[in-house]
Amino acid sequence: MGGEIKRQITLDHGSGGLKTRELIEGLFLKRLNNPFLSNLEDSATLELNQGRIAFTTDSYVVDPISFPGGDIGSLSVHGTINDLAMKGAWPVALSLSFVLEEGFFFDELDQILASIELASKKAGVPIVTGDTKVVPRGKGDKIFINTSGIGIIPDGVDVGYHRIQSGDVIIVSGSVGDHGVTILTRREGLGFSGDLKSDTMALHGLVKTLIEELGPDLHCLRDPTRGGVATVLVELAERTGLSMEVDEESIPIRDEVKGATEILGLDPLYIANEGKLIAWVSEGSAKRAVEIMRQRIEGKEANIIGRVLDGKDARVTLNTIVGGKRAIYALTGNPLPRIC
Amino acid sequence: MGGEIKRQITLDHGSGGLKTRELIEGLFLKRLNNPFLSNLEDSATLELNQGRIAFTTDSYVVDPISFPGGDIGSLSVHGTINDLAMKGAWPVALSLSFVLEEGFFFDELDQILASIELASKKAGVPIVTGDTKVVPRGKGDKIFINTSGIGIIPDGVDVGYHRIQSGDVIIVSGSVGDHGVTILTRREGLGFSGDLKSDTMALHGLVKTLIEELGPDLHCLRDPTRGGVATVLVELAERTGLSMEVDEESIPIRDEVKGATEILGLDPLYIANEGKLIAWVSEGSAKRAVEIMRQRIEGKEANIIGRVLDGKDARVTLNTIVGGKRAIYALTGNPLPRIC
Amino acid sequence: MCLAIPMEVIEVEGEIAKVDSRGMKKEVRLDIVDRIPKVGDFVIVHAGFAIHTMEKEEAKRSLELFYEMAKYV
Amino acid sequence: MCLAIPMEVIEVEGEIAKVDSRGMKKEVRLDIVDRIPKVGDFVIVHAGFAIHTMEKEEAKRSLELFYEMAKYV
Amino acid sequence: MKWQNTFDPFRSRETVKGLHKVLLREVERPVRIMEVCGTHTMSIFQHGLRELFPEKLKMISGPGCPVCVTSQGDIDTMIGLSREPNCRLVSFGDMLRVPGSNGSLRDAMAQGAKVHIVYSPMDALEIAKKFSDDEVVFLGIGFETTAPSIAATIIRAKKEKIKNFSVLSTMKLMPPALHSLFSQEDVEVDGLLCPGHVSAIIGARAYVPISEEFKIPCVIAGFEPADILAALILLIRQIKNGESKVENAYERAVSWDGNERALEIVKKVFYPVDVTWRGIGVIPQSGLSIRKEFEEFCARKKLGLKIKELPEPKGCRCGEVLKGAITPPMCPLFKKACTPATPVGPCMVSSEGICHAYYRYGFADNDSGG
Amino acid sequence: MKWQNTFDPFRSRETVKGLHKVLLREVERPVRIMEVCGTHTMSIFQHGLRELFPEKLKMISGPGCPVCVTSQGDIDTMIGLSREPNCRLVSFGDMLRVPGSNGSLRDAMAQGAKVHIVYSPMDALEIAKKFSDDEVVFLGIGFETTAPSIAATIIRAKKEKIKNFSVLSTMKLMPPALHSLFSQEDVEVDGLLCPGHVSAIIGARAYVPISEEFKIPCVIAGFEPADILAALILLIRQIKNGESKVENAYERAVSWDGNERALEIVKKVFYPVDVTWRGIGVIPQSGLSIRKEFEEFCARKKLGLKIKELPEPKGCRCGEVLKGAITPPMCPLFKKACTPATPVGPCMVSSEGICHAYYRYGFADNDSGG
Ligand code: SF4
Ligand code: SF4
Ligand SMILES: [Mg+2]
Ligand SMILES: [Mg+2]
Ligand SMILES: [Mg+2]
Ligand SMILES: [Mg+2]
Ligand SMILES: [Mg+2]
Ligand SMILES: [Mg+2]
Ligand SMILES: [Mg+2]
Ligand SMILES: [Mg+2]
Ligand SMILES: [Mg+2]
Ligand SMILES: [Mg+2]
C-alpha cells in the first residue's frame, strides 16, 4: 500500500452534508469564486436588462476526459457558450452540474476545475450556479458535466435558419474534424500519435464581431459539433427546403485529420468540431465576412466553402476535388472505424 | 429468446445523427412539444420583460428511478422549479438534459417523459431546450437528468437568508421525510412495504400565494432536500449567525416515516424532502402564513415548528417531545441504516 | 448497542413473520425468537430477526408500572 | 473490400514499424509484409498490418504512367 | 393504530413528566451511573434527557458500542480484506466510516472495494449467491443481541451449502467486559443501567455475579424515555438503600433466563475466546469465535487472516472515554482534529459512539458530561 | 510533407482531368464493367466519379463487400454468440450494425452483450489477456487481404498460449467467387475492375484462369481516382480490341505472384472450404476454415457452434444486387423500408455496401446506376 494516498470522491461527497460542503468550499470555490456562486444558493439571481435572452443546456460525457487541446471542463464551458453564440446571443451566465463517480480523484477534478476556471475567465462568462451529485462506482464514468447557459440577444439581432436564402454564401471558420479525430485517436488501442489538438474554443467573441460588422447580412450560424459539418448542412437544407453545395477543396482539413480518417475509413465531414462555426452570409458580404474572421484567432483559417442554390429540393451536393459531384447525407450513428 | 423484444437505447441514439433524431422526434417531441422545443435548436430564445431572473441547475441521479409518488422525471421538474421558487422567482422555463445508459429501455424512458410532461404541464413551466447523451453500458446508471431553470423575480420581492431576523417564526409546509424514506425503503434488500409516497411536488404556486399575501413579511424560503430539515436549519443559523429553535412535537412526520426511521436507526430530520418548504416569516404574519398554506394542497399540513432566537451563537436547538433539549447539527454524509 | 424495535405481527408463515410498525411493514425471520409469535403479538426486531415475543398485555403492564411509579412522588 | 493506406516508414524495430501518413503516426506489424521495409519506404497498411512494401520510386513510376496515359488523347 | 397506542405513551410528555419529578426528588447526593449500552446513550441524547437529569446525576457511557470497542487491528483487517480483489464485504452501516490506520471502508469503496451495506446478516447470503465468483465476507460485529442472528445465518449457509460465504467475527460479550471494567481501579460507578436487548438474550440473571462481586446496583432498562427514567429511579433507590441487586425495568422484553433458544444457537456456532477491546485491552473469554464444525465459514481460518494488533490513533482517548474515566470534551482532539466528518477514534464515528453523541447533540464545547 | 507530394497527385484535379478526357473519348459503345471490390465502390462514390463517367459506361458492383456477402446464418451465429454470458466478441466496426434475424450486434450490446470494436485483429489478443474470465471471440470477416493478419494473430495466440481466444472465421476467397459469378447466366459483364489489395496478396496471376475461361478483360486497380480511371481506360481498350487479358494498373502494390509470405501464413493456418455467400449460395472452396493444428482457436469447434442457414430477409434483393443483376434503386425496399438507420439487408449497412453508397452519395431516387 506504499506511496502517497490520493484523495478520492466518496458517496458522502454527494450527500449534501458536511462532506459535500468540504468539497465545494475546499475545491470548487477556490477555483470558481464569484459574487454569485459564493452565496452557495441553489439559484443565482441575475440583474438583466430588458430584451430577449437565450438559454441552453448540454451534458458532456467525453471519453477520455482529458485530451490534447482541452478537457471535459473547457469543453463544457465552450460548448454551451457556443450554443448561445450561434443564436447571436451574448453569453452572460453559465450553470455547472457534476455527476461524479465514486472513486474519482480529487486531483483530476481539480485539474478540470482549473480548466473550467480558465475557460470561463477567458470567455468572460461566469458560472453562476451549480450542483454536484456522486454515483456509486460503476454507475458513472469518472465525471459527467452539464452546463446550461443564458445569453442576451441584442435588439435587432436575428440569426437563424429562417433567414437563409438562395445565393447565401457558406463559410466555415476553420479546419474541420480536429476535435473528433483527436478524441478518436486518443482512445485506447488505436495507438495513434501526432500533433493534432482539439479545437475546443469559445466563439462568442468572433460572433459578436460578425454581428457588429455584418449586421443583417449575417443570416445563420451553426457550430458543427456531433455529426460534423455534413450533418449541419443536411439539417439546414432540410429545414429551409433549400439546396446547398460545398466545394471539397475549399474545406480546410488538417493533414493529420486527413491521415487518420483515411486510415480508419471515416469521412472528416462527419467528425465533431468544438471550436468552429458555419456561417450563412449574404453574397455581397461574404468576402468581408471571411476577412473579418481571419483577423481573429478563432477564424484565422476561415474559408468560403459553398453556397445556397436556387433549387428547392433540399439537397446538399459536394463538388469533389477531382471535379465530380456527390450527395451529402446525414449521419446515421456514431462513426466507427472500418477495415473494408 | 421468446417473447416480445423491448426496444433499447443504443450508443447510436447519442450520436447526433439520424438515430438521435429518431429518438427525439419519435419519443421526446411527442411528449414535450411546444413552440420552443419543436425548433430543435440548441438554445431557446425567451422574450422576457425587464427585471431580475433566477437561474438554477440540478442533476438527478435517484435510485430507484421510479418510486411511489413519482419518478426521476417528475422529480427533476419539481426540484428545479422549487429551487427557483425558493428565491421568490416565478419559474418560466426549464432545460432538460439526459445522460442515458446504453441498454436503457424505451418504455421506461417514455414513462419518465410522460411524467415530465405531466409535471411540466401541471406546473405551467415549459421545457424550452434539451440535450441527450448516451454512455456505454456500465458507464452510467439507466438515466441521469439535469434540469436547469429560469425564473422571474417580481419587482419588490426579496426573500433570502439575509432577511431572517430574531423573532421570525419557522414554518414547514407539511410532513417531513416522505421522499427520502420512500426511496430508502424501495431499495433492494430492505423489504419494506407500506403506503408511503414521495412528496415530490412543485411549490411555486404556494410560494406565489405567500408572496402576494405576506409581502415583505415573508423573509426566507428553503426546500429541505438532501440533508433534510436539520441541514437547512443548521446552514441558515450559521449563515445568519442567529440561533433558532424548533419543537419536535410540532414537526409533522408521518407514522410510516417514524416507523421506518426507528427500525433503521435514522433521524427523519436528516431525510430528504422533495415537495416541502421551510419559511421564515415575521412573527406577526406567522399564523396567517400557516392558514394560507393550509388552504392549498401543497401546504395542507403546514405547521409552525420553531422560531429565530435572540441568541447570536448560531445554534439550532430541538425541544424534544418529552420536554428535553438537544442541539441539531449538520449532516455528515449519507444517512446509513444501522443496527446499533 | 443493539437497536431493536417492537413490531406487531400481522402474518406468520414458517420461519417468517410479517410485522408492522406504524404502518411500515417488513418481513422478519423467526429463527432465533424465544417463542413463535401469533398474529397480534409484538416481536422485538433486531437486524431482521425477531429476538423476543411479547403479548400485548406485557407492554401495557410495563406502562402501568411506570404510571404507578410516577405516582409515588 | 479492403481499406488499405500507404504510409511512410519512419522506424523499424523487429516485428513493428512506426509509420506516418500526413503527420499521423502509428505502429504497424510486419508479420505478413512481403518484404521488411527500410526507413523511407512506403508500406500499404491494412488492419494494423503492413501488407506490402513499396519503394518511393514505385509510387512515382505509377504516377508517371498515368501522366503518360493522359497524354494519349 | 394499535402500535402507536401501545408504545407512544412510553415517550409522551405526560408519562415522562411524572417520572421526571420522581427522579428529581430521588437524587439527593451526587451519583455516577454508567449506561453501558450505546443505544441508551443515543436515546438519552436524542430525546434531550440529559437536559432533564438533575445536576447531581452524572451519566457515564460504557463500552457498549460495538463499533467503538472494535480493536484497531480488527478494523484494519476488515479494511485490508476489502482491498482484496476477489473479496466482497457485507457490513452493517455502522462500520462504514470507522477510520482504520489507512482510511475507512467508505474510502476503500471509493478505491474500488466492493462493500454492501445490509440491515440483516441474512442478506449476505443473497449477495453470496448473486456474486458467486467472489468470497463474500460478512463483518460480524455486535454483542449478544446480534450474535444469534449471525449464528442463524451461518447455520443456514451450511444448510444451503453456500461455498463463498464466511464471517469475520469480532463479536463480543458483555458480562466479561463489565467484569473486567469494574475490576479496574479508575472506574468509579455507583450504578449500572443494563443494556435492554443484550439482556433480552442473556436474561436478567446474567448480572447477578457482577452486582454481587462489585456490590453494584444493576437495573435493566428499555430504550424509551420512560424506560430510562424508571430504571434510573430504581438505581437511585438501590444506591440510597445501600442495595446492590439486579432489577428488571424492561420486563416486556427481558426475562430472568433470557432467550434460551437464541443462546443455544449461539453456542452451537460460537465458542468464547479472549479478545482485544479498544482502549481496554484483552479481556478473557469476551469474544466469540466460530466452532470447528462451522470453520468453513470462519473468514479468519478460510482466508488465513492474521490480525495484527496496532497502536490506537495518536491522541485519541477513546479508551478512557469508554471506561468512563473522561468525557469526550476532555479529549484534546474533540471538535478540533476529531469531528464526525474527520473522525480520529471510533467513538466519533459510530452514531451511538459517545464522542459522536456529544458532538452532535451536546451544547457546550466543554460540557463536563453532567 | 513527402507523403502528400507522393500520393496527392493521384487524386488531384489535374491528373484526373487528363485521364477523364481519355476515358470519355475511349468509350464509344455501351459497356458494363464490374468493380468487385467494395472499396472501389466507395472510392467511386466518394470522389463523385460516377458523375464523370460517360453515360455509356455502366458500373456494376460485385460481391466484394465482406459484410454484404456474409450469410444470414453466420450473422445470426455471431449475434447469438454475443448473447452468451461468458463470451466477449471482438469485431471490426463494419459488422456492428448488420441486421441479424433478431437485431444487430449494436442492439445486442444494448442488451448487455460485450463487444469490442478494433482496428486490428491483433488487438483481440490484448483484450483476451485483459478479460481472462471470458472467451474472447474474434469475428474473422474479410477476403484474402485480411486473412493473413488473422492468421498471424492466431499464430501469435498459439505462441503466447492464450487459452481464452478463438476466431469465428467467415473469411472468403475472391477467385472462386468470380468463377461462380461468371458461370451464372444472368451475369452480363464486359470487363472486370479487379480488387487492388486482394491482388496485393494473391498476385495478378490469380485472374488469368478467369480471363481465359470467361474471355473477360481483367485490370487490377488501385483506389485513388487516377488509379480507377486509368484501369477503366485499359479495360475499355481491351474490350474494344476484343482482348481478354490480365493487366495490372496498380503495380506499386501488386506483383505478378503476390505476397508469397502472406500466402504461406494463410496456408499454415487455414484451408479452403465450401461456404455460403449471401444471395449467391454455396460456392465450392471459397471460404477459409482453421486447420486442425490450430483448432483450439477455432470458435466453431471450441464452442460447438452450429451454423443454421436461414432464409434472407423478405423482400431484400441483395443477392441480385451483388451479382449486378439489379441496381439498388430497383429494389422495392430501397429508401423506403430499407435505410442506413433501418437496414434490411447488409448491402445497406456496410459503408461500402452498394445500397448504402447509393443511398448516401447518390442523387436520384430512381438512379438506374449509370
Ligand atoms: S474525540 Fe475523537 S479522538 Fe477524542 S476520544 Fe473521542 S473519538 Fe477519540
Ligand atoms: S435496398 Fe436494402 S433490401 Fe433492397 S437490396 Fe439493398 S439492402 Fe437489400
Ligand atoms: Mg438547483
Ligand atoms: Mg466518460
Ligand atoms: Mg452544444
Ligand atoms: Mg450547437
Ligand atoms: Mg443542487
Ligand atoms: Mg445546447
Ligand atoms: Mg441512478
Ligand atoms: Mg435542488
Ligand atoms: Mg434547494
Ligand atoms: Mg446539445
Side-chain angles (χ1 to χ4, degrees), chain B residues 1 5 8-12 18-19 22 102-103 137, chain F residues 83 97 102 106-107 109-113 341-342 359:
Chain B
M1 241 163 280
I5 303 275
Q8 295 178 303
I9 294 288
T10 72
L11 286 177
D12 290 336
L18 292 180
K19 286 277 184 191
E22 185 187 291
E102 178 187 22
R137 186 180 274 271
Chain F
R83 295 203 166 98
R97 299 198 184 90
N102 200 346
R106 192 55 129 179
D107 296 328
M109 282 170 78
Q111 290 153 22
T342 57
Y359 184 96

Side-chain angles (χ1 to χ4, degrees), chain C residues 24-70:
Chain C
M24 193 50 86
K25 292 164 189 53
K26 225 191 122 32
E27 292 190 342
V28 298
R29 298 200 56 92
L30 301 175
D31 308 51
I32 60 170
V33 73
D34 53 343
R35 175 173 73 69
I36 299 295
K38 56 185 191 305
V39 170
D41 283 346
F42 290 110
V43 285
I44 294 184
V45 174
H46 170 77
F49 285 78
I51 62 166
H52 182 80
T53 296
M54 117 186 42
E55 279 168 34
K56 261 192 193 134
E57 289 312 305
E58 295 183 73
K60 279 191 196 141
R61 214 179 310 135
S62 71
L63 196 64
E64 276 152 25
L65 212 92
F66 295 160
Y67 286 146
E68 208 54 38
M69 219 175 196

Side-chain angles (χ1 to χ4, degrees), chain F residues 81-149:
Chain F
L81 203 53
S82 80
R83 295 203 166 98
E84 294 295 318
N86 284 318
C87 234
R88 194 172 280 275
L89 260 53
V90 179
S91 172
F92 295 129
D94 313 62
M95 277 307 299
L96 232 70
R97 299 198 184 90
V98 181
S101 12
N102 200 346
S104 66
L105 277 181
R106 192 55 129 179
D107 296 328
M109 282 170 78
Q111 290 153 22
K114 293 166 280 185
V115 181
H116 297 252
I117 300 157
V118 294
Y119 166 68
S120 170
M122 209 56 112
D123 299 338
L125 298 188
E126 295 313 308
I127 293 166
K129 286 178 205 161
K130 191 166 165 193
F131 298 97
S132 52
D133 288 347
D134 287 336
E135 174 68 17
V136 171
V137 182
F138 181 76
L139 301 182
I141 62 158
F143 293 109
E144 287 91 339
T145 322
T146 315
S149 64

Side-chain angles (χ1 to χ4, degrees), chain A residues 42, chain B residues 83 223 225:
Chain A
D42 270 328
Chain B
D83 275 348
D223 57 337
T225 53

